[in-house]
Amino acid sequence: MNFAQPWAWLWLLAVVPVIILYFLRRREKEWSVSALFLWEGIRPDQPLFLERLRQRLDLLLLLQILAVAFFSFSLSHPTVVVSRPSGATLLVLDGSAPAAARGMREKMLAAAREVLENSAGPWAVILWADPPALLCAPTSRPEEVLHGLSQYRANLARRPELAQALALLSEPWPRVVVITPDPPSVPGVEVVAVERPENLGITAFSVRPTPFGTGYEAYVRVFNGQKKYCDAQIRVRTEAGEFWASRLLPPEGEEDVIIPLSGLLAQTFAAELLPSDDFPWDNLRYFAFSGARLGVAWHGQEDRYLWAALRAVASVARTQANPDLTVAVAIDLGEEPLGPLLLWAAGSPACPRGNVREAGPLRAAPSPLLSHISLDRIRLTQVYEVAVPQEATVILWAGDLPLLAIWESPRGRRALFAGNLETSNLPILPDFPILVRNIFGWLVPPQPAPVLLVGQGVALPPDVQVVAGEEMFSGVWVPDQPGLYELRGPNRREYLAVNVPWEASLPPIPEVLPAVEARGAEMEKPLWPWILVLLGPLLFLEAFLYERRGGA
């Protein structure tokens, strides 16, 4: 046993005044008797000194002396040397997405406190997250470590390499303990694996347009990490509505689900898996198509109806350099452009245009491009003779003349509408923008927008801001929550889909790592707090005994 402040034993000298005051306060009590002559002639006893001393000592004095001794003992700060499994210990707490599930924080902190109690110190605490953080600098005081642990919070991002987190401390530590729900394969460190809750989540979500661009197909992969069957409900939300599917998922198994999505043109999509669980962030996944402005190279006559329909379909702007779509109206092109081409009563070298002829009755071949089109309302009197290529698919005829045809060429997709709209009621019908949308969706399929992960930064253009709730960010933006975020700029409206990392939904792959033995260490454990705990009841007992004797 060691004493940090041995001079405190001088407080034992306080026993001397306690004993002196005790004997000065003691008096012989007087007793009333009937007569004194009964004791006359009786020789009084002469008790020994020790007997007289023992008669004067009682429990109250002993309690007071013991209280002084306990007080002196506690002031000297006594410590005992105890063995611990290790000495200097660096605690590394995983702060990535798997550790953000409900109830995981309490499990992680409980494991950290257990390591703290079984080590002699000094200690340091690092948050292994993106970005890593130093929760507690090297210290030998356990209370500072506990304060650092109270700052622990996991985020929904991926974790970096362990070396990046360890780089926060300049010197290597003899013992590194990693507390994580997803054990890493890093040699030379101790790993404390914390069990994750059973998870039900979406591990993959994507949307693609149908081949003719008139609808979409949603691909959803769901994972049941539970040890029982689960009746899961899958819902895909778009601007056009909601689409549902139901699956009975086997225990600890995955299943792919394809959900057809019909309706209007959509840009954002969200897939939801029910019921929810302790990791709800992967029960919702997001997807978006790029809403970037498309460049249109316009050749020939102006057609305000066609241009208005194109602007209603997508964000378009006129350009002649590297266009995304070439539109030719009532003109014969001299050469075949590169990329998608819309021939509107026009011709090209691969599809020469002839004279105008009187249109015959309309007849159509089954095609998604004519979805939601009422042909009986269309009045068309003139059609251009056009020699469509052999590989073309004629969708709509006007008598024996091709009216609407599509084909794939070596230089890109082609679509032809051979009718003369100056003698037709089609531009003023609601079918017209629908037809243009269907043709545009086949010519220029929407491109997926970049799907970001939480914690993955993106550099925004100088004139673009991202809307996150009530805040707006510019420059470099790092999302901290999954969701659909709007990008705003001059004549620009796009969306970004942000999801939690896909691997956070899957259980960790068990790895057999070599055991790392911690070197033993000795530490001094203070005893004075326990002495103070005993001193309180002792003083209470002394006060109780004093009052019971009537203060004497």
Side-chain angles (χ1 to χ4, degrees):
M1 183 180 298
N2 299 322
F3 299 95
Q5 299 178 1
W7 57 267
W9 285 108
L10 294 176
W11 280 97
L12 283 176
L13 297 177
V15 172
V16 176
V18 169
I19 295 176
I20 293 175
L21 292 175
Y22 178 81
F23 282 103
L24 290 177
R25 186 170 50 87
R26 289 294 300 265
R27 301 187 185 93
E28 293 184 352
K29 294 184 179 181
E30 296 182 357
W31 296 87
S32 300
V33 296
S34 58
L36 293 176
F37 69 90
L38 297 176
W39 281 272
E40 292 179 358
I42 299 177
R43 184 178 180 179
D45 295 331
Q46 295 295 329
L48 299 177
F49 174 75
L50 292 178
E51 293 179 353
R52 294 198 305 268
L53 182 63
R54 184 171 61 250
Q55 291 174 0
R56 288 182 174 271
L57 294 177
D58 63 2
L59 181 60
L60 187 59
L61 178 59
L62 293 177
L63 291 177
Q64 293 172 351
I65 295 175
L66 192 59
V68 173
F70 275 15
F71 184 70
S72 302
F73 189 66
S74 62
L75 287 181
S76 65
H77 285 196
T79 58
V80 294
V81 178
V82 296
S83 297
R84 285 290 183 264
S86 65
T89 303
L90 173 61
L91 289 171
V92 181
L93 274 65
D94 193 337
S96 59
R102 296 191 183 104
M104 284 299 298
R105 182 176 186 272
E106 291 73 15
K107 294 181 181 179
M108 299 281 290
L109 294 180
R113 285 191 289 265
E114 183 177 354
V115 175
L116 176 65
E117 293 173 358
N118 293 326
S119 54
W123 304 273
V125 183
I126 287 179
L127 174 65
W128 186 15
D130 188 14
L134 183 63
L135 298 182
C136 178
T139 180
S140 298
R141 302 179 59 185
E143 57 270 19
E144 294 183 3
V145 181
L146 293 175
H147 176 72
L149 291 175
S150 66
Q151 309 300 316
Y152 167 74
R153 296 291 186 279
N155 56 36
L156 296 175
R158 285 174 172 166
R159 65 190 184 193
E161 294 293 332
L162 182 59
Q164 296 185 25
L166 299 180
L168 294 176
L169 297 175
S170 57
E171 298 294 332
W173 281 66
R175 184 191 184 200
V176 178
V177 180
V178 177
I179 303 175
T180 173
D182 190 6
S185 57
V186 178
V189 300
E190 297 180 47
V191 177
V192 178
V194 180
E195 184 180 2
R196 293 161 57 177
E198 295 181 346
N199 185 41
L200 178 69
I202 301 174
T203 57
F205 174 51
S206 182
V207 179
R208 68 176 184 181
T210 56
F212 283 93
T214 56
Y216 303 94
E217 286 182 342
Y219 168 77
V220 186
R221 178 181 295 169
V222 292
F223 171 73
N224 178 23
Q226 305 174 2
K227 295 180 173 59
K228 60 182 180 180
Y229 281 89
C230 178
D231 185 10
Q233 307 295 319
I234 307 164
R235 175 174 62 178
V236 178
R237 301 195 304 264
T238 72
E239 294 102 317
E242 298 181 353
F243 304 87
W244 289 82
S246 178
R247 291 294 186 275
L248 183 63
L249 303 178
E252 299 181 345
E254 281 187 305
E255 185 168 340
D256 298 337
V257 182
I258 297 178
I259 304 175
L261 310 177
S262 59
L264 299 175
L265 195 67
Q267 189 177 350
T268 60
F269 304 82
E272 183 179 5
L273 180 63
L274 300 173
S276 186
D277 55 10
D278 288 334
F279 191 69
W281 296 279
D282 66 348
N283 287 60
L284 270 170
R285 296 282 185 180
Y286 304 94
F287 184 88
F289 283 112
S290 175
R293 175 167 294 190
L294 301 178
V296 176
W298 193 279
H299 299 276
Q301 298 181 5
E302 289 293 332
D303 191 320
R304 59 191 181 96
Y305 296 105
L306 179 58
W307 179 246
L310 289 174
R311 292 185 60 186
V313 171
S315 177
V316 294
R318 300 287 183 94
T319 183
Q320 296 298 326
N322 301 319
D324 300 290
L325 174 67
T326 301
V327 177
V329 180
I331 190 177
D332 293 311
L333 297 177
E335 60 180 359
E336 287 287 332
L338 182 64
L341 170 62
L342 173 60
L343 296 171
W344 201 261
S348 69
C351 181
R353 182 181 62 158
N355 298 324
V356 175
R357 287 179 49 186
E358 185 175 348
L362 300 182
R363 54 187 177 90
S367 173
L369 289 184
L370 297 180
S371 298
H372 311 291
I373 303 296
S374 300
L375 297 179
D376 56 347
R377 295 189 298 185
I378 299 177
R379 301 292 180 265
L380 187 65
T381 59
Q382 291 181 341
V383 178
Y384 284 95
E385 292 181 335
V386 180
V388 298
Q390 293 183 354
E391 64 271 18
T393 300
V394 179
I395 298 173
L396 191 60
W397 297 83
D400 59 346
L401 297 177
L403 179 60
L404 178 61
I406 58 174
W407 67 94
E408 297 270 3
S409 79
R411 299 185 66 84
R413 289 188 170 186
R414 302 296 191 251
L416 164 72
F417 185 84
N420 184 6
L421 295 185
E422 294 180 356
T423 60
S424 173
N425 66 340
L426 179 59
I428 61 175
L429 294 177
D431 306 78
F432 181 70
I434 299 176
L435 178 62
V436 173
R437 185 207 69 179
N438 293 346
I439 297 174
F440 183 88
W442 182 82
L443 282 173
V444 189
Q447 299 299 315
V451 178
L452 301 180
L453 299 179
V454 174
Q456 181 180 356
V458 57
L460 300 174
D463 57 347
V464 175
Q465 292 181 312
V466 62
V467 181
E470 297 181 354
E471 298 182 274
M472 299 188 70
F473 299 90
S474 58
V476 178
W477 173 63
V478 181
D480 58 358
Q481 291 292 325
L484 290 168
Y485 295 89
E486 182 183 353
L487 297 179
R488 291 182 183 175
N491 301 320
R492 179 174 183 174
R493 184 182 181 188
E494 297 183 54
Y495 288 92
L496 283 178
V498 179
N499 293 300
V500 295
W502 310 102
E503 61 270 17
S505 304
L506 300 175
I509 300 175
E511 298 184 16
V512 179
L513 300 175
V516 179
E517 295 185 1
R519 294 181 297 178
E522 293 183 348
M523 67 175 296
E524 292 185 347
K525 186 175 182 180
L527 294 179
W528 62 269
W530 301 100
I531 303 300
L532 289 179
V533 171
L534 295 176
L535 183 60
L538 183 64
L539 294 176
F540 175 79
L541 180 61
E542 191 270 343
F544 174 77
L545 185 60
Y546 178 80
E547 290 295 331
R548 187 171 183 180
R549 292 184 178 182

